[in-house]
Amino acid sequence: KYPEEAAKTGVEGMAVVRFIVEKDGSISNHKVLRDPGAGCGEEALRVVKLMKNWSPGGQKGKAVKVEFTLPIKFRLEK
């Protein structure tokens, strides 16, 4: 959902969220690195927290933790 405050004020931009994909594929340590404002960062974080498990990273045939940075664009349709 586009944040209501951002839609009213015309805020667009890119939010960047960093998180860890654990060995079991779960997501932890969510953090907003870039926030265009007006609730966009909070909405990006909410969406990341709702994601289902990812495939974990692999090294030498074993599952390992991986840090991932995800950019999320907010753009109003004209």
Side-chain angles (χ1 to χ4, degrees):
K1 291 183 178 180
Y2 209 91
E4 191 175 317
E5 182 182 344
K8 285 181 184 177
T9 57
V11 173
E12 295 183 329
M14 185 180 307
V16 179
V17 180
R18 180 180 289 161
F19 54 89
I20 303 287
V21 179
E22 298 288 342
K23 293 178 184 181
D24 64 356
S26 63
I27 297 172
S28 66
N29 296 0
H30 324 87
K31 182 178 181 179
V32 177
L33 299 179
R34 184 186 309 165
D35 183 356
C40 293
E42 291 85 7
E43 180 63 14
L45 193 60
R46 184 187 74 82
V47 170
V48 166
K49 288 178 179 180
L50 290 175
M51 284 195 258
K52 295 185 180 192
N53 284 0
W54 287 41
S55 297
Q59 189 172 30
K60 296 182 182 178
K62 294 184 179 183
V64 294
K65 292 182 185 181
V66 177
E67 185 176 74
F68 195 84
T69 304
L70 180 68
I72 301 172
K73 284 187 180 181
F74 287 88
R75 192 179 86 199
L76 291 167
E77 292 189 19
K78 312 256 180 205

